[in-house]
Amino acid sequence: MSQKEIAFTGRIIASLSHEIKNVLATIKESAGLMEDILSLRPETDAPHQARLVKAAGNIRKQVDRGVDVVMGLNRFAHSMDEPMAQIDLNELTAQMAFLMQRFAHKSAIGLSAAPYSEPLNIVTDPFRLEMLLAAALDVCLTRADKGSGLVIQPCRVEGRPAVWIGAAPDEPPDTLPPTVAFPEDLFALKGDLEHLQVNIYDCGSAGLHGVLILFK
Amino acid sequence: MKVLLVDDEAEFVQTLAERLQIRGIETLVAIDGIEALRLIDEEEPPIVVLDVMMPGLGGLEVLQRLKLGHPNIQVILLTGHGSTKDGIEGMRLGGFDYLMKPVRIEDLMKKMEEAYEAFSTSSITEGGSE
């Protein structure tokens, strides 16, 4: 997609997700009002009060869940706003863990994000970086054992910002292991690396279960 | 405590008003910026809960205009976006604080109490300096 097409797609998704959130906000307040009214009346006045309170509570819980989903969609849409933008890798990796949660769940793998101890700001193409991280996560999900855990976390390697996607309990390396290679199953993404100013390393040959995305 | 709720989503804002009334809060409702400014001039509520994303006169513009004539009124912004950019901009323009929409009624009540305290303090300070 061209940048113009990406920006258009993002604009439409952002707008629609905003509208969905307005709908959810109204449903949430209506369910809350039902709970309020039911709690004002003595038990004998309202037949099936307990069941109605439970149903209203369920609506509220599901709305909260829907709001989380829609906010993730909205953040994703805004990643398409600009071809280059400053982002915090802590926020981006948390967002990626959220976006890829369903794929991980389907593979029976626990996926989580672990933030770095401080903000790791970089200037990049947010949308294409998300695509790259999603592809790297896909590869790691394919390799991981069912029932295992996968962590996506920003880190610094040799002082440079990086993102580590690894199987617990392996930690990101402090220095680049000398034997690391480009993961062959990510070959299709090689063209994006120059644009994003990153290198990808498969750390399997260094005895680590993970992929490292290192910013130049 | 009297609160003006401003949001172009009429059903949302009316339902929210009803919930606050159940909790003993006097509420006024406006569904656009012009109506909000008129009610502020007429009723002078100490607190305004203001949606940022409204068609026509947007929330941030309403905030700027109301602060010119009523600097003590405390404004809580409701931001509809995933980002906090609008809320931060609103605070720079004199907003008391911002909350993400949809908001938990308990969080809104707590924020309104804090805003009312700030209103009372600023009114006393202003009265004392005269």
Side-chain angles (χ1 to χ4, degrees):
Chain A
M1 277 203 291
S2 70
Q3 185 51 44
K4 202 173 159 187
E5 289 165 332
I6 291 170
F8 169 71
T9 307
R11 187 169 161 238
I12 297 299
I13 297 174
S15 170
L16 293 179
S17 60
H18 176 76
E19 282 306 307
I20 295 170
K21 199 150 80 166
N22 277 337
V23 171
L24 291 172
T26 304
I27 296 171
K28 181 176 178 159
E29 289 312 322
S30 302
L33 180 60
M34 280 164 61
E35 287 178 295
D36 289 349
I37 292 167
L38 287 165
S39 70
L40 288 176
R41 298 179 71 91
E43 181 81 36
T44 48
D45 268 7
H48 311 296
Q49 186 182 30
R51 289 162 71 190
L52 290 168
V53 167
K54 192 180 172 197
N58 283 343
I59 292 170
R60 195 166 33 78
K61 270 189 275 180
Q62 289 303 315
V63 166
D64 287 341
R65 192 175 158 209
V67 168
D68 284 345
V69 171
V70 129
M71 281 176 74
L73 187 64
N74 194 272
R75 282 193 298 268
F76 175 64
H78 282 296
S79 72
M80 301 181 205
D81 286 347
E82 303 287 341
M84 293 296 275
Q86 180 174 295
I87 54 135
D88 178 0
L89 284 175
N90 282 329
E91 288 175 13
L92 189 82
T93 49
Q95 164 78 348
M96 289 312 299
F98 179 80
L99 291 174
M100 298 296 287
Q101 204 56 242
R102 189 169 163 75
F103 300 104
H105 184 70
K106 274 168 69 183
S107 306
I109 292 160
L111 174 61
S112 59
Y116 190 60
S117 54
E118 59 189 53
L120 269 180
N121 293 319
I122 58 162
V123 175
T124 188
D125 179 337
F127 178 67
R128 288 206 163 78
L129 181 58
E130 282 175 342
M131 276 180 66
L132 181 79
L133 292 177
L137 277 163
D138 269 337
V139 166
C140 293
L141 287 171
T142 309
R143 292 179 185 175
D145 297 327
K146 280 194 184 344
S148 66
L150 206 59
V151 179
I152 176 168
Q153 65 182 105
C155 54
R156 280 192 184 277
V157 175
E158 297 179 351
R160 284 144 63 190
V163 174
W164 165 256
I165 302 170
D170 283 355
E171 295 277 327
D174 293 330
T175 58
L176 199 57
T179 55
V180 290
F182 185 84
E184 284 310 310
D185 28 14
L186 284 171
F187 192 79
L189 293 169
K190 232 171 174 172
D192 285 336
L193 304 186
E194 192 57 37
H195 172 68
L196 290 167
Q197 291 287 290
V198 297
N199 282 320
I200 303 185
Y201 299 100
D202 190 342
C203 297
S205 54
L208 293 169
H209 298 93
V211 167
L212 187 71
I213 295 104
L214 183 62
F215 294 85
K216 289 179 183 170
Chain B
M1 193 195 306
K2 192 196 285 185
V3 180
L4 170 63
L5 305 172
V6 190
D7 197 307
D8 63 302
E9 293 284 328
E11 283 182 26
F12 167 78
V13 75
Q14 277 154 8
T15 311
L16 184 60
E18 210 172 328
R19 295 193 74 194
L20 292 174
Q21 283 159 17
I22 285 171
R23 286 160 175 80
I25 293 169
E26 189 182 345
T27 58
L28 303 163
V29 165
I31 56 167
D32 62 55
I34 301 291
E35 190 186 1
L37 290 171
R38 183 183 60 77
L39 281 170
I40 287 162
D41 285 340
E42 285 174 9
E43 303 280 343
E44 297 202 359
I47 300 164
V48 176
V49 177
L50 182 60
D51 184 33
V52 171
M53 294 284 284
M54 290 192 297
L57 202 58
L60 295 182
E61 208 175 335
V62 172
L63 169 65
Q64 280 177 297
R65 289 198 197 182
L66 88 83
K67 279 288 176 183
L68 286 176
H70 309 274
N72 291 344
I73 291 180
Q74 302 299 318
V75 179
I76 298 165
L77 296 150
L78 294 183
T79 64
H81 274 263
S83 86
T84 54
K85 205 169 64 180
D86 291 332
I88 292 165
E89 176 62 9
M91 288 181 74
R92 194 186 65 77
L93 295 171
F96 177 73
D97 208 341
Y98 66 92
L99 293 167
M100 301 290 278
K101 192 177 158 188
V103 61
R104 287 177 68 237
I105 193 101
E106 296 82 6
D107 295 340
L108 181 60
M109 291 282 294
K110 188 168 178 285
K111 197 59 72 185
M112 289 194 316
E113 280 162 20
E114 291 168 11
Y116 190 70
E117 208 173 305
F119 170 81
S120 304
T121 307
S122 66
S123 300
I124 291 165
T125 308
E126 192 177 74
S129 65
E130 281 174 356

